[in-house]
Amino acid sequence: MTYRPTSTARLTLAGTAAAALAVSAVLLPGAGAATAAPASPAHQAKAAAALAARLGNRAAGSYYDAASRRLVVNITDPSAAQQVRDTGAVPRVVRYSTAQLHTVIADLAKQARIAGTAWVIDPRQDKVVVTADPTVTGAKRARLGAAVKALGDRAALRHTASPFKLLVAGGDAIWGSSVRCSLGFNVTVDGAPYFLTAGHCGNASSTWSDSGGGAEIGQTVDSRFPGTDYALVQYDDSSSAPASEVDLYDGSTQEITGAADAYVGESVERSGSTSGLHGGSVTGLDATVNYEEGSVSGLIDTDVCAEAGDSGGALFDGSSAIGLTSGGSGDCTSGGETFFQPVTAALSAEGATIP
């Protein structure tokens, strides 16, 4: 029988005075004004991204507020409020623009690129949140603390109880020469079948099978880690038509019909053979994690839990592919933080599409 793998996320490898206010202001529509039903969160996020490009330094990120079912768009110039409302979003005046917070990230990259740390812009707080795991001690902890303190209220430091790590361990998805990894999403390149997984998986093996000691089903043709974290594997059987779906671990699957960019506040799910199906939300974008094995940037930060054995698999929102599991901290008993490689970036780099 022809092997027809599915994208089951079997995760086994693991200016203005107003703008200067300390308390930001949300500029709500006037009382009694007619309010149209909000568009879908994804539509609002897409419109906000286009608006941010037009606003330039006056834009300061955005996030979806589930209670109001509206996207909140941060701005540093109150005169841009109506442009935000015109997209169906809610404007919020904050102190720091995205460009200003990116200078914070650049400073951290120069002064505090220490294994066991991570940082991400948090649009809800309008600052860069820096996290240190328990391995950051002594002189390294003092160095990190000094670097964050020098950034003033543009950054905040917090600590996590467990180390940041690539989620490397057992499971039952795809097997390399010395590791077991996770198939993320099936894709096509020039009509031929491939799949995406984590780059640290691709670095570990050039060939893959669907069982321990089984026959080869594919070969790694490109692998990117550190820096980013994705790999492209080509199926040996060029005539195969792998299903594009994710295992929901209740006997059913979710069809995957395309890919989408994540947005802060988005509700997402992660499917994995180690810990099953778990959900949560996107808490940040363009995150940097300094693993012991190397630094990765441009990641999606979430509060979705994951465990050893969950690397490489699928983060999704309904029928949209969102990310590939990279690593994180914590577990699915006590909770945790997990980072994902954006699927759209991997697809673009490889010239691939979701079937």
Side-chain angles (χ1 to χ4, degrees):
M1 180 180 295
T2 300
Y3 176 57
R4 295 173 64 85
T6 62
S7 298
T8 53
R10 301 186 194 284
L11 313 177
T12 56
L13 202 265
T16 66
L21 292 175
V23 179
S24 58
V26 176
L27 306 180
L28 298 171
T35 303
S40 70
H43 179 82
Q44 292 182 53
K46 202 172 283 188
L51 176 61
R54 296 196 301 271
L55 292 177
N57 288 339
R58 296 186 292 163
S62 62
Y63 59 92
Y64 183 70
D65 180 73
S68 65
R69 294 191 299 149
R70 297 279 185 179
L71 200 79
V72 177
V73 176
N74 293 338
I75 52 175
T76 57
D77 179 2
S79 68
Q82 189 56 51
Q83 290 176 265
V84 174
R85 293 191 189 98
D86 289 344
T87 70
V90 177
R92 173 176 176 246
V93 179
V94 298
R95 176 176 293 181
Y96 299 115
S97 70
T98 299
Q100 288 173 306
L101 294 181
H102 273 297
T103 66
V104 171
I105 289 176
D107 287 342
L108 288 167
K110 292 177 183 177
Q111 304 296 328
R113 195 178 285 279
I114 300 166
T117 63
W119 47 75
V120 64
I121 294 175
D122 184 345
R124 291 184 175 93
Q125 298 186 59
D126 189 39
K127 62 180 62 179
V128 175
V129 176
V130 183
T131 304
D133 75 16
T135 68
V136 182
T137 60
K140 291 181 179 178
R141 182 164 179 154
R143 174 182 157 199
L144 179 65
V148 174
K149 184 177 180 180
L151 296 169
D153 67 352
R154 295 176 295 164
L157 178 62
R158 69 183 183 94
H159 295 84
T160 185
S162 56
F164 289 123
K165 59 186 181 296
L166 297 170
L167 300 174
V168 181
D172 64 358
I174 51 173
W175 294 67
S177 55
S178 60
V179 293
R180 287 192 292 177
C181 299
S182 163
L183 189 154
F185 297 99
N186 285 312
V187 300
T188 60
V189 179
D190 295 330
Y194 294 73
F195 66 80
L196 293 172
T197 187
H200 60 272
C201 298
N203 285 3
S205 183
S206 60
T207 61
W208 300 95
S209 66
D210 62 343
S211 61
E216 179 186 308
I217 62 167
Q219 298 185 19
T220 302
V221 296
D222 193 19
S223 185
R224 303 300 176 95
F225 176 88
T228 55
D229 196 3
Y230 70 86
L232 183 69
V233 178
Q234 183 172 19
Y235 284 108
D236 290 340
D237 183 357
S238 61
S239 65
S240 64
S244 183
E245 56 190 29
V246 172
D247 191 346
L248 301 181
Y249 286 89
D250 60 359
S252 66
T253 60
Q254 169 64 58
E255 182 183 13
I256 300 298
T257 59
D261 293 322
Y263 54 89
V264 175
E266 181 175 14
S267 293
V268 289
E269 292 181 290
R270 179 196 57 74
S271 174
S273 61
T274 297
S275 54
L277 183 70
H278 289 274
S281 63
V282 174
T283 57
L285 303 175
D286 200 20
T288 293
V289 185
N290 298 303
Y291 298 117
E292 188 68 34
E293 297 84 354
S295 298
V296 181
S297 297
L299 298 175
I300 302 165
D301 192 1
T302 77
D303 59 11
V304 183
C305 72
E307 298 185 355
D310 285 347
S311 252
L315 181 75
F316 61 101
D317 178 358
S319 61
S320 295
I322 302 295
L324 303 164
T325 308
S326 175
S329 66
D331 55 41
C332 290
T333 299
S334 59
E337 178 179 15
T338 307
F339 300 92
F340 298 84
Q341 163 69 42
V343 166
T344 52
L347 293 174
S348 177
E350 297 295 345
T353 59
I354 299 291

